[in-house]
C-alpha cells in the first residue's frame, strides 16, 4: 500500500504533463463544459428519444441560446457568453446530415428536453442537489415550452429563462421568489411581498379587481383569492433570479439591491448572500476578466450530432493475475449476463482480450436474436495466460480495430475495459484514446489494478467501477448491469431489482424476497451464480405460489450460472427464492434480478447512485447520493441503504436520508444523501445502493423539486390588469401500489489516499447545520434545527455555540465576537433529531457585542447562527444564518407595540380630560362660593 501511495502521484503527474502537452491539439478533452477566453464550450443539449421529431425544436433551441448568450454577457458585465453548443439529436429521428456523436450521450447532457407530465407541466427547472455555490445536475425543458410561444407571456423570453436556469446549474444560486410564502413581515413590522429587489412595484388584486393591501391580509394571513400583480413597466434592474420576465430586469441582485429579509431559498441556502456575491465567488469569475471594448461577443456556433448504431467492445484482461480470487470466474459470470440480458437488441458487440499483447476474440456481431447472444458468449475467455504483465494499451488498440471495421472510426462507440493488472504505460495510448471519440467504462479488479485506470474513463466521460476480492461480492454483475446504452429511453433499459450474495455453509440456505412492482415485470430475469462445480438447489415461488426449481433454470456449468426468464409480464408482488448449498464446503451464492418497464405510458421507479467526488484525500469525507424517483417525481419515505466495499476489510453499510440536514441539502427532493468517512485503507472503494419502499406510506411527491423559473400570473399596464393563462396542469398516471418496490444500483467507485495506519485520530468534526430557523414570539426567540453528530452526521455532538447580532456583516465575518447566547442547559441530541431552543434575547446574553467599525448598531432585525462542538473540541462550520424581527430601540428598552401605544394615548387623553373637568368643577365651585359671599356682604352693608 505504501509503495502504491507513492507511485500513484508520480503516474498522475505524468498524466497531467501529457495532457498539458496535448492541450493545443485536443482543446476540449473529455466531457463537460469548459470556459475559455470568456466563452463556454461543450454545452450539451440532448433531446429525449421519446420526443416526436420536430425541426422547429432545433431552431427554437438555437434562438434561445443565442438570445441567452448576449443577455448573459451583459448581466455578467461583459464577463461570459456561450461560444460552442452541441445539440444531441435522438436516433429515433430521421438522419439529416447530422454529425456522428463522439462521447456525447443523453445521460451526460447539461440540458435535457423531454416531457415530465407534472402538476405544472411546462415549468423549466434545474435539479440542484448540492449547496450554495455548487453546480447542479441538469436543466430540464419540455418540448411544449420550446415550441409554444404563448408561454413567453408568463415566463418571459426563452433566452432570459435560460440564463435564470443557467445560474442555478453553473453557479449554484437559488430562486428569490417563494410561492409558499408570498409575503413576510419585515423588521419594522410591515407586511411586504417576497421579492428581490424590493424596488419592483405592483398592486394587490382580489377576486374582483385591485384592492388595498388590508383587504388581502387578515390577521397576518394571506386571503385566498388574492394575489400580487407586478407592473409591466419597472425601473428596477434586478433580479434575474426573481423575475427574469420583466423587461427592465437585466442583472442579478447584488449587495446594494439584495433583499435579505425575503423568505426565499437564496437567502436560506446562501446565508443571506446576494446572487451576484455567490456568482462572483465562483471559479468562472476567478479565472476570467471582463472583455475590453464595447463590442458584443460573436453569436454561438451549434453542432448537431446524432447517435448511430450502438457499438460495444469488451476489452478483457486474461493475464495470470485474473486467476486470483476467482476473478476470471466473476468476469465470465458478469459478461455472460451482460451479453445475454443487459445489452439491448440490435447492438453491435465485439470482444478483445489482452495480457502483454492484445488479441481479437470476436469481430462485431449484431444482436438480433438469442442465438447471436449465445454466439458472443462462446467467445468469452475460458482460461488465463501464464503472463503476469499487462498492456492495457495493447488491449484498447485491438478494441479500436474491432469497432472501426463498422464505420472506419470509433466515434460514438463504447469500450468496457476490465483489468486486474498494473500498467505504468497507460499514458502511451492517451492521445489515441482521446482522439478516438470512444467512451471507456473501466472495471478494476483487486488491489493491484493500475492506479491511473480511471483516468481513461474520466477523460472520455465513462463510468468507473471497482470489484474487491470478496467472495460474496456481486460488484462485477452490478457494474455490468449499470452500463446502459445512454440513450435516455428508460422504457428500453434494464432495471435492477435485486443483488445479493452470501457465503453459505454446507447444507445451509440463502433465502430472501424480491418485490416485482407494477411499473416493471417485462423480460424479468433471475440469475443465480455459485463457486463450486455443481449448482445449488434452487426454489423460486411467485406471488401466487407457483414454484420454479433448478431444472427450470438454464444452467452454464462452465461459468457456474443459472438463469430463469419469466415470459410475458411477471406477476407483481413478492417473489421468494431459496438457495440450498448442497456442496460439502462453504461457498458464495449470489442472486441478481432484473426487469424492464411493464407499461410504456408509466415510467418505472429508478435509483441512480453517485458520489460528489471520486478521488479524495483523508480526512475529507465522501458525500454519497441516491436519486430515487419515478419518471421525474421524487419518491419519498424510501429506505435507502448504501454498501461500501473497500479493497480489504469488511463492507460498511450506511442509511441515506432525505431530511434536508447534514449532507442532504433539500428535504423531500428524492435525493437521499449521507457523509461517508469510515475509511479502513488507502485505495479504491466500491459503492452500491439498495432501495426498498413500503406500500403503506406515501410514495410520490406532488411536485417536481428543483429551482423553477417563475411563472407570472399577470401584469398591470396603464392601470389595466392583464392576466396570463393559468399554467397547464397535467395529472400523473399513477397506479395503485400494493407491494412497494425494491431497486439496486451500482454507484461506481471512488479512491482515497492518506488514510493513516492503525487507529484513526478524531479528525471529523460535527457537520454544518444547514436548516437553522428562527421565529420571534412576543419577547422570545425560538430556534429550530436538525442535530448534527459527533462526526459529521453520525453520533451525538457535545455542545452548541449560538451567537446573535444586529449586524449581518458582523455575524458573517466575525462570528466569534457576536453576542453569545447561554446554552449551558442545552445538550445536543442524537444526529438527525429536530432541536428546539427558546430564549429571550434581552436576558440571555453575557457580554456586549463588538461591531466591526466600533460604532453602535441600530436595527430591527436580529441574525443568529450556530455551530456544534464534539468531545475533542472540534467545531463544525458555522450554520446558515437565520433572522427574525426584534422591536427594540437603540437603548435596548422595549419598543411598545402599536396596540399598547394606542391604549396609552387613550388613557393619557382620558386623564387630561379628567383633569380639565376637575379644574372646571373646582373653578365653578369657587366662583359660586365667591358669589354667595359677595351677596352676604352686600346684604350686611344695606342693613
Amino acid at each position: 500500500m505504501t509503495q502504491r501511495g507513492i507511485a500513484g502521484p508520480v503516474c498522475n503527474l505524468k498524466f497531467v504533463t501529457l495532457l498539458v502537452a496535448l492541450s493545443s491539439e485536443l482543446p476540449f478533452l473529455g466531457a463537460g463544459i469548459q470556459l475559455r477566453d470568456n466563452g463556454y464550450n461543450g454545452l450539451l443539449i440532448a433531446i429525449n428519444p421519446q420526443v416526436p421529431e420536430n425541426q422547429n425544436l432545433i431552431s427554437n433551441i438555437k434562438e434561445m441560446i443565442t438570445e441567452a448568450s448576449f443577455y448573459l454577457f451583459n448581466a455578467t458585465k461583459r464577463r461570459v457568453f456561450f461560444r460552442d453548443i452541441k445539440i444531441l439529436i435522438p436516433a429515433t429521428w430521421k438522419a439529416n446530415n447530422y454529425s456522428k456523436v463522439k462521447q456525447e450521450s443523453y445521460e451526460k447532457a447539461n440540458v435535457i428536453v423531454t416531457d415530465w407530465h407534472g402538476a405544472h407541466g411546462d415549468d423549466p427547472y434545474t435539479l440542484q442537489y448540492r449547496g450554495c455555490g455548487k453546480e447542479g445536475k441538469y436543466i430540464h425543458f419540455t418540448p411544449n415550452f420550446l415550441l409554444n410561444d404563448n408561454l413567453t407571456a408568463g415566463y418571459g423570453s426563452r433566452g432570459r429563462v435560460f440564463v435564470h436556469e443557467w445560474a442555478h446549474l453553473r453557479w449554484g444560486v437559488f430562486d428569490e421568489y417563494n410561492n409558499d410564502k408570498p409575503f413576510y413581515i419585515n423588521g419594522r413590522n410591515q407586511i411586504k411581498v417576497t421579492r428581490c429587489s424590493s424596488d419592483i412595484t405592483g398592486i394587490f388584486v382580489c377576486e374582483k379587481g385591485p384592492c388595498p393591501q388590508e383587504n388581502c391580509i387578515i390577521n397576518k394571513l394571506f386571503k385566498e383569492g388574492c394575489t400580487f400583480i407586478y407592473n409591466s413597466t419597472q425601473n428596477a434592474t434586478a433580479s434575474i433570479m426573481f423575475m427574469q420576465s420583466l423587461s427592465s430586469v437585466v442583472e442579478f441582485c447584488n449587495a446594494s439591491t439584495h433583499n435579505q429579509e425575503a423568505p426565499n431559498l437564496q437567502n436560506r441556502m446562501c446565508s443571506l448572500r446576494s446572487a451576484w456575491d455567490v456568482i462572483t465567488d465562483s471559479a468562472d469569475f476567478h479565472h476570467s476578466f471582463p472583455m475590453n471594448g464595447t463590442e458584443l461577443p460573436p453569436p454561438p456556433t451549434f453542432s448537431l450530432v446524432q447517435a448511430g448504431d450502438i457499438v460495444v467492445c469488451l476489452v478483457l484482461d486474461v493475464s495470470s493475475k485474473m486467476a486470483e480470487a476467482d476473478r476470471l470466474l466473476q468476469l465470465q459470470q458478469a459478461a455472460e449476463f451482460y451479453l445475454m440480458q443487459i445489452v439491448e437488441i440490435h447492438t453491435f458487440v465485439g470482444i478483445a482480450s489482452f495480457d502483454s499483447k492484445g488479441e481479437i476474440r470476436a469481430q462485431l456481431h449484431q444482436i438480433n436474436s438469442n442465438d447471436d447472444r449465445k454466439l458472443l458468449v462462446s467467445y468469452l475467455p475460458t482460461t488465463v495466460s501464464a503472463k503476469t504483465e499487462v498492456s492495457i494499451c495493447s488491449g484498447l488498440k485491438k478494441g479500436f480495430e474491432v469497432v472501426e471495421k463498422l464505420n472506419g472510426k470509433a466515434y460514438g462507440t463504447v469500450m468496457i475495459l476490465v483489468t486486474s493488472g498494473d500498467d505504468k504505460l497507460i499514458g502511451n495510448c492517451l492521445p489515441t484514446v482521446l482522439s478516438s471519440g470512444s467512451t471507456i467504462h473501466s472495471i478494476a479488479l483487486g488491489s493491484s489494478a493500475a492506479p491511473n485506470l480511471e483516468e481513461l474513463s474520466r477523460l472520455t466521460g465513462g463510468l468507473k467501477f471497482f470489484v474487491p476480492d470478496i467472495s460474496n461480492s456481486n460488484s462485477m454483475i452490478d457494474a455490468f448491469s449499470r452500463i446502459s446504452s445512454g440513450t435516455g429511453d428508460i422504457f428500453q433499459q434494464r432495471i435492477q431489482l435485486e443483488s445479493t450474495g452470501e457465503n453459505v455453509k454446507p447444507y445451509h440456505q440463502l433465502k430472501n424476497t424480491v418485490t416485482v412492482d407494477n411499473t416493471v415485470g417485462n423480460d424479468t430475469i433471475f440469475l443465480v451464480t455459485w463457486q463450486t462445480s455443481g449448482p445449488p438447489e434452487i426454489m423460486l415461488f411467485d406471488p401466487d405460489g407457483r414454484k420454479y426449481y433448478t431444472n427450470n433454470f438454464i444452467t452454464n456449468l462452465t461459468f457456474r450460472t443459472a438463469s430463469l426468464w419469466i415470459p410475458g409480464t411477471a406477476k407483481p408482488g413478492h417473489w421468494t427464492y431459496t438457495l440450498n448449498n448442497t456442496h460439502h464446503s462453504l461457498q458464495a451464492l449470489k442472486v441478481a434480478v432484473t426487469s424492464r418497464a411493464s407499461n410504456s405510458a408509466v415510467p418505472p421507479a429508478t435509483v441512480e447512485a453517485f458520489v460528489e467526488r471520486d478521488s479524495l484525500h483523508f480526512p475529507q469525507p465522501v458525500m454519497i447520493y441516491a436519486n430515487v424517483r419515478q419518471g421525474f417525481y421524487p419518491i419519498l419515505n424510501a429506505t435507502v441503504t448504501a454498501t461500501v466495499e473497500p479493497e480489504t476489510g469488511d463492507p460498511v453499510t450506511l442509511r441515506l436520508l432525505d431530511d434536508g440536514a447534514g449532507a442532504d441539502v433539500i428535504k423531500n427532493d428524492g435525493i437521499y444523501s449521507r457523509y461517508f468517512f469510515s475509511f479502513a485503507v488507502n485505495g479504491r472503494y466500491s459503492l452500491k445502493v439498495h432501495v426498498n419502499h413500503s406500500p403503506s406510506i406515501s410514495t410520490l411527491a406532488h411536485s417536481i423539486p428543483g429551482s423553477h423559473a417563475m411563472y407570472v400570473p399577470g401584469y398591470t399596464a396603464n392601470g389595466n390588469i392583464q392576466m396570463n393563462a393559468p399554467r397547464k396542469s397535467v395529472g400523473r398516471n399513477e397506479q395503485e401500489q400494493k407491494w412497494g418496490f425494491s431497486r439496486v444500483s451500482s454507484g461506481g467507485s471512488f479512491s482515497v489516499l492518506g488514510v493513516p495506519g492503525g487507529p484513526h485520530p478524531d479528525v471529523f468534526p460535527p457537520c454544518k447545520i444547514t436548516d437553522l430557523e428562527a421565529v420571534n414570539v412576543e419577547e422570545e426567540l425560538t430556534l429550530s434545527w436538525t442535530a448534527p453528530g459527533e462526526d459529521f452526521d453520525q453520533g451525538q455532538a457535545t455542545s452548541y455555540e449560538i451567537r446573535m447580532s444586529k449586524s449581518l456583516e458582523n455575524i458573517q465575518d466575525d462570528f466569534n465576537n457576536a453576542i453569545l447566547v447561554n446554552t449551558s442547559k442545552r445538550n445536543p441530541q442524537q444526529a438527525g433529531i429536530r432541536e428546539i431552543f427558546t430564549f429571550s434575547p434581552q436576558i440571555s446574553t453575557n457580554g456586549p457585542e463588538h461591531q466591526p467599525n466600533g460604532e453602535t448598531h441600530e436595527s430591527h432585525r436580529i441574525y443568529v447562527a450556530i455551530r456544534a462542538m464534539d468531545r475533542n473540541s472540534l467545531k463544525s462550520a458555522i450554520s446558515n444564518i437565520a433572522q427574525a424581527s426584534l422591536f427594540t430601540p437603540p437603548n435596548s428598552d422595549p419598543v411598545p407595540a402599536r396596540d399598547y401605544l394606542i391604549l396609552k394615548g387613550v388613557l393619557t387623553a382620558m386623564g387630561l380630560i379628567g383633569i380639565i373637568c376637575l379644574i372646571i368643577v373646582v373653578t365653578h365651585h369657587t366662583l359660586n362660593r365667591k358669589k354667595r359671599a359677595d351677596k352676604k356682604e352686600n346684604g350686611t352693608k344695606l342693613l
Side-chain angles (χ1 to χ4, degrees), residues 409-424:
K409 292 184 178 180
Y411 288 0
T413 63
V414 171
M415 301 282 167
I416 301 178
L417 173 62
V418 184
T419 182
S420 64
D422 190 4
D423 183 0
K424 302 292 194 300

Side-chain angles (χ1 to χ4, degrees), residues 497-534:
L497 309 185
E498 173 76 313
S499 174
T500 189
E502 280 188 21
N503 289 320
V504 181
K505 296 178 181 179
Y507 310 107
H508 283 66
Q509 296 179 341
L510 168 60
K511 185 175 181 178
N512 212 337
T513 298
V514 60
T515 302
V516 177
D517 58 280
N518 287 348
T519 66
V520 294
N522 286 357
D523 205 12
T524 302
I525 294 289
F526 286 80
L527 173 71
V528 176
T529 67
W530 63 93
Q531 286 181 298
T532 58
S533 57

Side-chain angles (χ1 to χ4, degrees), residues 275-294:
W276 184 243
D277 182 30
V278 175
I279 291 170
T280 54
D281 198 33
S282 67
D284 287 353
F285 279 58
H286 287 168
H287 300 140
S288 65
F289 300 94
M291 292 176 62
N292 296 323
T294 58

Side-chain angles (χ1 to χ4, degrees), residues 614-620 622 676 679 681-685 750-755:
D614 56 16
S615 179
L616 59 147
H617 197 280
F618 185 90
Q620 290 176 307
V622 173
F676 177 79
F679 305 122
V681 293
N682 289 305
R684 296 180 174 96
Y685 289 74
F750 59 89
S751 60
V752 183
L753 294 177
V755 179

